[in-house]
Amino acid sequence: MALHASERPTRHSAAGTPRRNAGSQDGVVVRSAAARGVLAAARVLVGFYFLWAFLDKTFGFGRSTPSSGSWLNGGHPTEGFLLHGTTGPFAHMFDSVAGAWWLDTLFMAGLLGVGLAMILGIGMRIAAGAGTLMMAFMWLVTLWPGTNPFLDDHWMIALVLLTTAVTGAGGYFGLGRAWARLPIVRRNRWLI
């Protein structure tokens, strides 16, 4: 449950400036320890989802990427999915960029960045935005999903990304609170 800072008394530090509540991110406070634990677990799990995809595509652990097709062995992380997994009205558009160096680089940077940010609990707003954009593109690649004409797991992952970002879940069992105290982050709240 979220409670906004304006709904509760403001505590002040010795210097007279308002103090943030523990776990607060721009005034949002999740008061239940169980809810904080669930949000932290969701954050770490979705972070590992992205990080594992990066590691498997980079090193070819044989799960979804064979060693011979790994990025380090000259493989193209976007090629297989975009050439063989595309359906629907945008299939030809995605086929035309499959395996492009710039798309491979952006995709891999996104997987690594979102994965690390979510696991560590830092840069959650950027990670949530980038991850949601990646999920939206992956959903477009597979239009229309086979089991449900509108929804698939890409939207559920995007929802977890957004939920953990707006509730300040980076501060729950993560480095988010320390990150938020950095001078550059204090001046640029979008870096939270």
Side-chain angles (χ1 to χ4, degrees):
M1 170 175 224
L3 179 67
H4 290 79
S6 62
E7 298 171 5
R8 57 184 304 180
T10 304
R11 294 185 287 177
H12 295 275
S13 69
T17 58
R19 267 188 358 190
R20 294 216 177 270
N21 297 306
S24 173
Q25 177 175 308
D26 288 344
V28 176
V29 178
V30 176
R31 300 183 74 191
S32 162
R36 288 192 302 269
V38 169
L39 287 166
R43 185 195 85 230
V44 171
L45 288 174
V46 82
F48 187 70
Y49 176 86
F50 280 86
L51 185 60
W52 176 259
F54 170 81
L55 294 171
D56 189 46
K57 291 177 184 327
T58 300
F59 299 105
F61 293 136
R63 295 294 178 185
S64 62
T65 306
S67 179
S68 60
S70 73
W71 203 23
L72 292 177
N73 285 332
H76 297 280
T78 61
E79 190 174 58
F81 186 61
L82 292 181
L83 288 179
H84 306 294
T86 54
T87 59
F90 302 108
H92 295 296
M93 179 181 75
F94 288 112
D95 288 349
S96 67
V97 295
W101 71 268
W102 59 270
L103 186 58
D104 286 344
T105 304
L106 279 174
F107 180 65
M108 295 299 280
L111 290 176
L112 179 62
V114 172
L116 288 177
M118 296 303 282
I119 289 170
L120 297 173
I122 62 174
M124 299 279 296
R125 290 180 180 175
I126 295 170
T132 298
L133 186 62
M134 291 174 73
M135 293 293 108
F137 275 113
M138 287 184 208
W139 179 76
L140 283 174
V141 166
T142 59
L143 272 181
W144 298 103
T147 58
N148 183 311
F150 306 104
L151 296 175
D152 67 0
D153 60 337
H154 293 105
W155 290 116
M156 302 307 138
I157 294 167
L159 185 60
V160 171
L161 287 164
L162 295 170
T163 300
T164 57
V166 301
T167 59
Y172 313 136
F173 310 104
L175 302 175
R177 285 187 219 145
W179 176 260
R181 286 192 299 264
L182 293 175
I184 190 167
V185 178
R186 291 174 76 184
R187 284 190 307 272
N188 302 287
R189 301 304 290 171
W190 58 272
L191 290 173
I192 289 179

